[in-house]
Structure formats: structure tokens, C-alpha cells
Amino acid sequence: MVIVYSGRRITLDVSKVMLPNGHEMNVEKILFPRAIAALPIYENNKVILLRQFRPAVNEYVLEIPAGGSLRRTRPPEHALIRELNEEIGGAETDHFEKLFEGFTTPGYSTEYILIYHVNVKKLGEPSLSRMRLLTG
């Protein structure tokens, strides 16, 4: 492993690897922590999305609430509740279930995400950052 860059959220590794077929290949890999995301549904049919400015693409994009790094010592549901509190303001939920667990872009990244469907009973007050807007 050759660390080329290590920043606040990602690390870039450029290494030579041996493929299963015996060939060697230089691989550029972004090392990224495990993450959590929610598909929050409110009043049985309204999906809660965030309109968030993303400097990497220099525009606002619609996203489901996501982020945070998962701690292997705590259940993922703790991170899910923490993210919902941060992103949509302490929403009261009465049901959640895992929809997806896996790598997001395995061609160049180790980012691994768990996505949950969340039934939201009551919305709280979001703590909007300079880059985030709540969209219903």
C-alpha cells in the first residue's frame, strides 16, 4: 500500500496488485469509511430528500440522508438515528429495515454503505448547514 494522499474524509492509495489471473496491475484506490443512509418515507408516500450543494460537481443535488462513519463497536442503527437527527432534525420513526448493504463504487473505492427504509412518524427541525436544504 502506497498512501499518496490522506485527507479529512478519504485516503488515496496507489499500489501494484496481483490479479486472480496472475497479472499485475497498478490500482488507484480511494479508501473510504463505511457509511449509512436512509430512505425516509413520511405520511406513507412522501420521500424526504435533501437538496445539498456539492462542491465536487459545483451544483445542488438531491440526495437521501447519508453520511457518518459506522463504528464497528456499535449497531448500525445507532449511526442511522444519529444521521437522521443531523439531516432531518430528530424525526420520530416507528419502523426501519435494511434495503441494501454493499460497495457503492468498487471499481475505485472501498466505500461500503448500508441503506435503510425508514418510516417517519413526525418530522423535527433540521439543523441546516450552509450546503443543505430540506426538500419534500
Side-chain angles (χ1 to χ4, degrees):
M1 180 183 296
V2 178
I3 302 299
V4 175
Y5 171 81
S6 185
R8 182 178 61 87
R9 296 192 62 196
I10 67 165
T11 299
L12 176 59
D13 166 38
V14 179
S15 297
K16 189 170 286 202
V17 298
M18 182 69 68
L19 299 175
N21 64 5
H23 291 96
E24 282 190 343
M25 178 179 172
N26 286 326
V27 175
E28 299 166 342
K29 179 172 48 176
I30 296 173
L31 306 176
F32 197 90
R34 293 167 51 100
I36 192 111
L39 179 63
I41 307 296
Y42 182 61
E43 295 179 345
N44 292 324
N45 64 354
K46 295 178 183 172
V47 176
I48 300 169
L49 298 174
L50 302 174
R51 183 173 179 262
Q52 187 154 311
F53 184 77
R54 291 298 184 184
V57 294
N58 196 35
E59 63 183 66
Y60 282 91
V61 295
L62 290 177
E63 302 177 343
I64 60 175
S69 56
L70 296 176
R71 297 180 183 103
R72 295 190 188 275
T73 58
R74 300 184 81 179
E77 293 79 14
H78 282 92
L80 178 67
I81 298 303
R82 183 185 69 234
E83 279 305 309
L84 286 171
N85 285 336
E86 289 175 11
E87 304 274 354
I88 62 174
E92 289 181 30
T93 64
D94 64 0
H95 173 78
F96 53 86
E97 73 178 276
K98 191 186 318 176
L99 295 175
F100 173 80
E101 178 177 352
F103 294 101
T104 61
T105 48
Y108 63 87
S109 174
T110 62
E111 182 179 23
Y112 190 89
I113 196 164
L114 284 76
I115 302 175
Y116 285 80
H117 161 264
V118 179
N119 188 38
V120 177
K121 291 184 347 185
K122 182 180 172 188
L123 289 174
E125 287 295 320
S127 58
L128 300 178
S129 74
R130 293 187 314 264
M131 297 190 310
R132 186 181 306 137
L133 299 170
L134 192 63
T135 303

